[in-house]
Amino acid sequence: MAVKVGMVSLGCSKNQVDGEIMLSLIQRDGYELCGDAEQCDVVIINTCAFIEDAKRESIENILEFCELKRQGVIKAVVVTGCLAERYQQELVTEIPEADVILGIGRNTDIVNAIDQALQGERVVEFAPKDELVMDAERVLTNAPYYAYIKLADGCDNRCTYCAIPNIRGRFRSRKMENILEEVRRFAAQGVTEMNLVAQDTTRYGEDIYGKLMLPELIREVCKVDGVHWVRILYCYPQRVTDELLEVMASEPKVVKYMDVPVQHASGRILKAMNRRDDYDYLRNLMQKIREKIPGVVLRTTFITGFPGETEEDFAEMTRLVKEVKFERVGCFTYSPEDGTPAYSMPEQIDEETKRRRADIVMSEQLAIAEEFARSWIGRELEVVVEGLNEETGIYYGRSYMDAPDIDTRVYFDSPYEHETGEYVMVTVTGSQGYDLVAEEAE
């Protein structure tokens, strides 16, 4: 009987891609992939360590599966991903029940590590971060009609609050031909939505081609038969070029959706974050994006409670939210991360103030999002079908305005039967908070 291996992948889509490469290696070696942890022999926790909440979730998962191992439910616990890379020796010492701890540079050793763990050996392996393999077969772990296409790993921006450069290392792009080969392979399998991701997607290619190559890459991805939607995530504000906007506006397959994390609006705080923007730059950039890409949906993220943030600084943030009217917003409280410059900055903000400010931002955003949703009533919209509520008979899906896993849904009634992954035209009839309600268009 084949040994069953399961994975819990935490954190971002980029970490998910790493996990999918490991699953492909495991499957190719003859192990059986298993979705139910309690039915697995081996469980891999592909961890996140970006902020405190993510670290806590990773550790809770590790301890939960170590307890299942103690009870004899599973045979081995494997820890990979960002927590393993960031806290190497701490994990080795403090969680001796973990049978395998692999740093990101050793992901391709996953099969040997599992083999050894099942023989009763403990495996602890680390390597330089840039040995992380990005060009390899993958087993998709999300719905089969969309995929994340990882363009690069690491980051050189060195924002003072962010641990990613410490965890993932320097920015390094994949070769364009390798990315396009992956896109073609997925398209041939029936994947119709390609979500382009990296820590800084807009910097793609600069390190290996000497210039920003995202616009050219997008054009080539759009040429691939079978690709229906192309979505670009994580655009750094200073690298949103006119060329990029022109490509997004002119390529029909590119969804008019732009994810530009701004983090703050106060020039003083942005400078302390080691970011080069200020209020006027960000406001003008968003205005330019809207002018060059009519109908664009803007997503951003903010951080409240960065060290030294005054009520005046925070007021600039809320003013930008109201003025720009971003359609999609995420807001996080500042998490002091050891090893980052901001960790030891003076004037740390208390948790209650951070939370209060984040709640204010999201309250402002809810009103903007509800107004935006109502503006769609009576209009037609293309939706990818994601499922059917068996009890109500109502389908649900996403429009171009919604990235997988993080944005809103469209709920629609239809007299026809649809499969997940189909694209359907609907007429919006109402809204429920952030979500839209619709019926299939005639």
Side-chain angles (χ1 to χ4, degrees):
M1 185 180 295
V3 175
K4 296 180 179 180
V5 179
M7 175 179 284
V8 176
S9 194
L10 304 171
C12 68
S13 54
K14 300 172 287 291
N15 197 44
Q16 176 184 323
V17 170
D18 293 346
E20 291 173 347
I21 289 174
M22 286 188 276
L23 289 176
S24 178
L25 293 169
I26 290 164
Q27 186 178 61
R28 194 169 67 192
D29 202 63
Y31 285 103
E32 180 182 336
L33 301 184
C34 173
D36 183 350
E38 296 201 7
Q39 300 300 317
C40 292
D41 299 296
V42 179
V43 174
I44 303 165
I45 302 97
N46 192 32
T47 59
C48 179
F50 181 50
I51 57 176
E52 191 60 36
D53 286 348
K55 289 184 283 188
R56 188 178 303 113
E57 182 185 19
S58 293
I59 291 168
E60 287 171 356
N61 271 271
I62 295 168
L63 296 177
E64 175 187 339
F65 287 108
C66 286
E67 176 60 20
L68 289 178
K69 177 190 154 191
R70 189 190 67 78
Q71 295 172 8
V73 177
I74 61 178
K75 296 176 182 175
V77 175
V78 179
V79 181
T80 62
C82 288
L83 191 78
E85 181 65 31
R86 185 175 181 184
Y87 297 107
Q88 300 179 358
Q89 293 310 313
E90 291 94 328
L91 279 181
V92 172
T93 303
E94 295 178 20
I95 309 184
E97 302 91 341
D99 302 279
V100 176
I101 299 176
L102 286 187
I104 62 171
R106 279 288 176 265
N107 281 357
T108 49
D109 286 353
I110 187 70
V111 172
N112 288 335
I114 291 172
D115 290 344
Q116 291 175 255
L118 291 173
Q119 293 168 14
E121 299 177 38
R122 193 178 197 209
V123 181
V124 175
E125 293 185 5
F126 303 102
K129 304 175 199 303
D130 57 9
E131 290 187 19
L132 171 74
V133 170
M134 292 186 277
D135 298 311
E137 297 275 348
R138 292 162 52 193
V139 171
L140 278 188
T141 55
N142 49 243
Y145 48 85
Y146 73 88
Y148 294 104
I149 306 299
K150 187 172 176 179
L151 310 188
D153 202 77
C155 188
D156 293 339
N157 291 330
R158 294 282 171 182
C159 300
T160 57
Y161 55 82
C162 184
I164 292 299
N166 298 339
I167 301 169
R168 288 278 171 172
R170 62 183 178 83
F171 183 86
R172 51 207 185 278
S173 300
R174 297 172 64 191
K175 290 182 179 178
M176 189 179 295
E177 58 264 33
N178 294 342
I179 295 171
L180 294 172
E181 180 184 345
E182 181 173 70
V183 169
R184 293 187 193 101
R185 188 167 65 241
F186 277 136
Q189 295 172 13
V191 176
T192 58
E193 179 183 353
M194 306 295 171
N195 296 279
L196 309 186
V197 298
Q199 308 296 343
D200 177 359
T201 314
T202 38
R203 192 170 189 173
Y204 170 71
E206 185 181 54
D207 54 322
I208 55 177
Y209 299 112
K211 63 175 182 174
L212 302 177
M213 292 289 282
L214 182 59
E216 186 171 331
L217 175 65
I218 292 170
R219 289 191 191 96
E220 293 302 315
V221 171
C222 288
K223 293 177 183 177
V224 176
D225 290 339
V227 173
H228 189 77
W229 279 352
V230 179
R231 189 182 304 275
I232 297 94
L233 301 171
Y234 314 124
C235 299
Y236 190 73
Q238 290 284 343
R239 296 192 185 91
V240 175
T241 63
D242 288 347
E243 184 185 9
L244 175 60
L245 297 179
E246 287 160 12
V247 169
M248 291 187 65
S250 62
E251 288 287 353
K253 292 183 180 181
V254 176
V255 295
K256 308 318 177 206
Y257 173 105
M258 202 159 196
D259 178 13
V260 188
V262 301
Q263 313 304 3
H264 215 282
S266 161
R268 191 180 73 85
I269 294 298
L270 286 164
K271 185 176 181 181
M273 289 178 165
N274 196 33
R275 296 174 72 91
R276 294 170 288 169
D277 319 314
D278 59 22
Y279 187 97
D280 289 339
Y281 178 87
L282 294 171
R283 180 196 58 203
N284 293 338
L285 174 63
M286 301 309 158
Q287 183 178 340
K288 182 167 76 169
I289 293 171
R290 290 202 191 282
E291 289 171 355
K292 288 187 174 289
I293 311 176
V296 70
V297 164
L298 289 172
R299 161 168 274 283
T300 196
T301 53
F302 291 101
I303 297 171
T304 59
F306 187 82
E309 181 189 62
T310 64
E311 288 295 339
E312 290 75 20
D313 294 321
F314 174 66
E316 285 201 79
M317 182 188 294
T318 55
R319 185 157 60 96
L320 190 70
V321 171
K322 292 176 184 177
E323 187 169 350
V324 172
K325 294 186 183 296
F326 298 96
E327 286 79 11
R328 307 283 185 253
V329 167
C331 190
F332 303 91
T333 58
Y334 166 70
S335 176
E337 296 301 314
D338 53 285
T340 64
Y343 183 78
S344 55
M345 284 182 178
E347 299 182 83
Q348 297 283 329
I349 308 295
D350 65 90
E351 292 299 324
E352 184 180 349
T353 301
K354 294 179 194 177
R355 183 74 266 156
R356 174 179 61 80
R357 290 174 179 174
D359 289 344
I360 291 170
V361 169
M362 292 314 295
S363 177
E364 295 284 355
Q365 178 58 26
L366 176 60
I368 292 167
E370 287 179 332
E371 180 185 353
F372 175 68
R374 288 192 296 270
S375 76
W376 273 92
I377 294 174
R379 299 163 67 185
E380 286 196 356
L381 192 59
E382 185 180 43
V383 171
V384 60
V385 179
E386 295 204 306
L388 172 69
N389 184 316
E390 298 288 351
E391 292 183 6
T392 63
I394 300 295
Y395 286 95
Y396 55 89
R398 288 182 295 108
S399 72
Y400 80 92
M401 302 184 287
D402 307 304
D405 305 320
I406 58 174
D407 287 323
T408 61
R409 278 179 167 172
V410 180
Y411 295 89
F412 68 96
D413 196 11
S414 174
Y416 310 109
E417 289 188 6
H418 293 292
E419 299 292 326
T420 56
E422 279 187 57
Y423 291 85
V424 176
M425 292 302 298
V426 304
T427 301
V428 179
T429 58
S431 62
Q432 296 176 347
Y434 290 95
D435 297 324
L436 297 179
V437 178
E439 57 188 27
E440 184 161 353
E442 295 182 6

